[in-house]
Amino acid sequence: MEDDAEAARQLKKLSIYGAARIIKRRGNSLYNALRSIYEDSIFVAEIAQLWPGLPLVANLRCGLWYAAAFHATCYFKSTDGHTNNLSFNTSRLNLHLALLAGQKGGCIIVDSTRKGKRFPDSMSKTIPIWTCVMNRAIVNYRRKMCSDGLISKGVVDTTNQHANSEGQAPLDWDCSLHLPLWVSETEKATIENRLESWTHQLEASGADISSIAACLKKPLRPLWISQRTVIWLNEVPDHDSWDFTPIILVTASSSSGTVQPKTTSEFSWNYIAGAGDDEESWARGLSPSLFWKNVYDIIESGPDLCNRKVAEIVEKHRVYLAHRGHAAPQVRVKGPQLPGSACNLSCDELPLASEMANAEVDPKSSHENCPITWLGLTNLAVGSTQFAAEASGVDCVLNCSQESMSVSLQSTEAYLHLPMLNSKQDRFSLLSNLQTAVNVARSNLSKGKTLFVCCQNGEDISICTCLAILMSLFDDQGTYDDGKSFSETTVTKWDMRRRLIFICKFASNARPSRGNLRQVFNFLTGGGRASSDS
């Protein structure tokens, strides 16, 4: 009786907001999220089958949950398409996607949204802006080549190794802005007024426009498909018949409501639109690849046993990695506790991605086949600690993750563990360790040795560390000069962005956070703990 009375008193203390959060938390259970993802994946598979020749691409991170395998990944943020924050971000150029679309004649990008819209802003505005700016940069490049007499008027350079002897692309190129109907005319006008400046930013960034111009035979153009789109199966056009290179944008989830009750012969569950979003708050250490390896066991476990089943899968995978010498720390799951949980273990795993820089895409390629990424001819490599033990051709390893690891190197001096925290955990962790990282790189690279820089996911801290090393010890052409160029110039944010674009040309999965990039800029400019945007 006392317990019941205490519970009643606690309920009375709850605000409407607190009660709403509890109700929402119960509706957003692990099983509801995973079952919703599985149901939406059926729609994604159906769309992929309509154009089997087009590669399937996941827009990180949400889109990665909606298919068992992807040819590649891309990274377009919805914030770049928000009404009051429209931008063309040179830190996320996704040049590998333009090359992939040129090689395969187009691509299908998968994403989703929780917002109750049919499409996330990344698909409504960010990607349409990207395709338009790319098209304009290609036209400007070809006109320049034509005026310099390097190509004949009306065709691309036939001597270029990427050019095909058939179907040469004309200079008459569609550079217009293609937006979905639900974007207002006012917002469209705002975007059009800024396209010219964004194109100049792309051209000044040092991006390899020539390779994309030679690879693309038709202009890029977005198309939109949702679960409400009507498609006549007997009238699906072949993508080669279009006079443009299609970027087909597929939003996986239904937009009819946030939570919808569903009933099967065995279980009742609630459908969640955009369930793959914000995975830290609900996935309990489960990654997309682990989910799809065990999808039927998880779905058949039902709402009552799902948490326990997922905990077992995550722990089993963690032990599997630990037995093979990979960094596999036990991490407590962040976010609210869910009922029925048997374990709070997490293990980070890299998403599937293909190396896209200047190479044909292998549909079966993933980080398992290409565990580390070499940054051109710099003798620098970047990747995840998960694959450090498998890295070949590496003389030295700089481990930036929290957990130490065992590696097979010729001497113990060839391995340095320099633990760094993300900017959300420590605003100065990267900044205070970068000088040591640069010193280690100098002592090894100056002797012609190769250096592998790794972090837990190979996408953020290790990328930022490599950026600091390249800026400090290499010139603009990527040649090691022991810091001569760095000492003679004043580093600007634009210089740093250009070098980041160089890294992204090879490490297409790079996703450095704004906070970590800010620390790199402060280090390069001697700003210490001064506040600076990057």
Side-chain angles (χ1 to χ4, degrees):
M1 291 294 292
E2 291 181 359
D3 291 341
D4 292 341
E6 178 62 25
R9 283 194 295 269
Q10 292 296 327
L11 281 173
K12 289 180 180 179
K13 291 180 181 179
L14 277 176
S15 64
I16 295 177
Y17 175 75
R21 282 179 60 86
I22 291 178
I23 294 172
K24 181 179 179 182
R25 191 179 302 161
R26 289 174 178 172
N28 292 346
S29 70
L30 180 61
Y31 184 81
N32 287 343
L34 295 177
R35 183 62 186 260
S36 301
I37 289 170
Y38 175 73
E39 297 293 328
D40 289 336
S41 71
I42 298 173
F43 168 71
V44 172
E46 290 173 349
I47 298 301
Q49 284 300 311
L50 297 180
W51 294 280
L54 295 183
L56 195 65
V57 180
N59 190 30
L60 297 173
R61 292 176 304 167
C62 181
L64 201 63
W65 286 91
Y66 290 95
F70 288 93
H71 293 77
T73 62
C74 61
Y75 189 37
F76 293 99
K77 290 191 71 174
S78 287
T79 51
D80 293 333
H82 287 176
T83 301
N84 297 320
N85 191 48
L86 295 168
S87 64
F88 178 83
N89 199 310
T90 53
S91 298
R92 295 182 285 272
L93 285 180
N94 293 285
L95 298 180
H96 66 286
L97 183 67
L99 289 171
L100 175 62
Q103 292 164 4
K104 303 298 183 179
C107 65
I108 302 172
I109 301 178
V110 179
D111 202 353
S112 187
T113 180
R114 285 181 182 267
K115 303 295 183 181
K117 310 178 199 175
R118 289 179 63 185
F119 292 86
D121 284 341
S122 60
M123 289 184 164
S124 295
K125 284 169 280 188
T126 306
I127 295 179
I129 289 172
W130 176 81
T131 58
C132 185
V133 172
M134 285 290 172
N135 286 334
R136 286 171 172 245
I138 290 170
V139 166
N140 290 346
Y141 169 79
R142 287 180 175 155
R143 285 174 179 166
K144 184 178 183 301
M145 293 295 102
C146 185
S147 64
D148 292 344
L150 298 178
I151 62 175
S152 301
K153 186 176 181 180
V155 297
V156 297
D157 183 5
T158 56
T159 63
N160 192 294
Q161 62 177 346
H162 295 284
N164 195 322
S165 60
E166 299 178 2
Q168 299 294 343
L171 284 174
D172 184 15
W173 200 258
D174 180 12
C175 293
S176 56
L177 176 66
H178 295 279
L179 292 171
L181 296 176
W182 53 87
V183 176
S184 68
E185 290 297 322
T186 302
E187 195 161 16
K188 180 178 180 181
T190 301
I191 295 173
E192 288 178 331
N193 290 337
R194 302 182 63 182
L195 287 173
E196 196 66 28
S197 63
W198 288 333
T199 304
H200 290 324
Q201 286 181 27
L202 173 60
E203 293 168 338
S205 69
D208 187 7
I209 303 299
S210 61
S211 295
I212 299 174
C215 189
L216 279 169
K217 301 301 182 289
K218 301 175 185 178
L220 298 167
R221 181 169 175 176
L223 301 173
W224 295 267
I225 295 179
S226 73
Q227 291 196 27
R228 292 168 57 186
T229 303
V230 177
I231 300 176
W232 299 99
L233 297 181
N234 60 337
E235 297 181 5
V236 175
D238 186 84
H239 67 274
D240 289 331
S241 65
W242 288 320
D243 58 357
F244 54 85
T245 301
I247 306 295
I248 300 176
L249 308 178
V250 178
T251 182
S253 298
S254 169
S255 59
S256 57
T258 304
V259 177
Q260 305 168 38
K262 301 277 186 177
T263 302
T264 65
S265 58
E266 297 176 295
F267 311 117
S268 294
W269 54 283
N270 291 329
Y271 174 80
I272 303 172
D277 194 20
D278 191 22
E279 60 194 45
E280 289 88 357
S281 66
W282 60 266
R284 308 185 67 78
L286 190 70
S287 66
S289 58
L290 268 183
F291 169 64
W292 285 104
K293 287 176 183 176
N294 302 275
V295 60
Y296 297 113
D297 287 341
I298 292 173
I299 296 302
E300 291 173 2
S301 66
D304 295 336
L305 300 178
C306 179
N307 289 6
R308 183 177 301 173
K309 173 61 70 174
V310 168
E312 291 172 355
I313 291 169
V314 170
E315 172 64 359
K316 182 178 179 181
H317 184 65
R318 188 195 68 80
V319 172
Y320 171 86
L321 293 177
H323 284 171
R324 283 153 183 78
H326 299 309
Q330 292 186 351
V331 182
R332 288 202 173 275
V333 176
K334 294 182 180 180
Q337 294 291 326
L338 297 176
S341 174
C343 185
N344 281 339
L345 301 174
S346 173
C347 118
D348 291 328
E349 187 172 290
L350 278 173
L352 298 174
S354 298
E355 175 56 55
M356 296 297 306
N358 300 324
E360 279 287 333
V361 181
D362 179 4
K364 297 181 181 179
S365 66
S366 70
H367 284 293
E368 294 178 0
N369 298 325
C370 187
I372 68 175
T373 300
W374 291 96
L375 304 181
L377 302 177
T378 62
N379 278 352
L380 264 179
V382 65
S384 166
T385 53
Q386 181 179 342
F387 301 107
E390 305 168 15
S392 59
V394 171
D395 298 320
C396 314
V397 172
L398 174 59
N399 176 16
C400 302
S401 69
Q402 287 300 293
E403 300 294 324
S404 185
M405 60 186 184
S406 59
V407 292
S408 300
L409 297 171
Q410 293 183 351
S411 68
T412 56
E413 297 178 356
Y415 171 77
L416 175 64
H417 181 210
L418 199 62
M420 302 184 195
L421 292 171
N422 190 280
S423 60
K424 291 184 178 180
Q425 299 170 291
D426 186 335
R427 290 190 300 156
F428 307 109
S429 177
L430 197 67
L431 177 62
S432 61
N433 284 288
L434 282 179
Q435 188 59 61
T436 303
V438 171
N439 292 340
V440 169
R442 175 183 281 112
S443 65
N444 289 285
L445 296 174
S446 62
K447 300 173 185 176
K449 294 182 179 181
T450 55
L451 175 65
F452 176 47
V453 182
C454 56
C455 64
Q456 186 63 34
N457 57 20
E459 301 172 354
D460 189 356
I461 292 177
S462 57
I463 295 292
C464 290
T465 303
C466 285
L467 176 61
I469 293 171
L470 287 174
M471 292 291 296
S472 301
L473 303 177
F474 290 77
D475 62 17
D476 287 338
Q477 284 69 46
T479 303
Y480 181 83
D481 65 359
D482 199 28
K484 183 175 182 293
S485 300
F486 177 67
S487 62
E488 295 175 351
T489 59
T490 301
V491 175
T492 66
K493 296 174 186 178
W494 189 246
D495 293 329
M496 200 173 79
R497 287 193 182 104
R498 286 172 61 92
R499 203 62 63 93
L500 180 60
I501 290 170
F502 170 82
I503 294 175
C504 293
K505 177 179 179 181
F506 304 99
S508 59
N509 66 314
R511 293 190 292 149
S513 66
R514 183 180 178 84
N516 287 340
L517 287 175
R518 183 183 295 114
Q519 293 181 68
V520 174
F521 182 72
N522 286 342
F523 166 75
L524 295 172
T525 57
R529 296 195 174 192
S531 175
S532 175
D533 292 332
S534 70

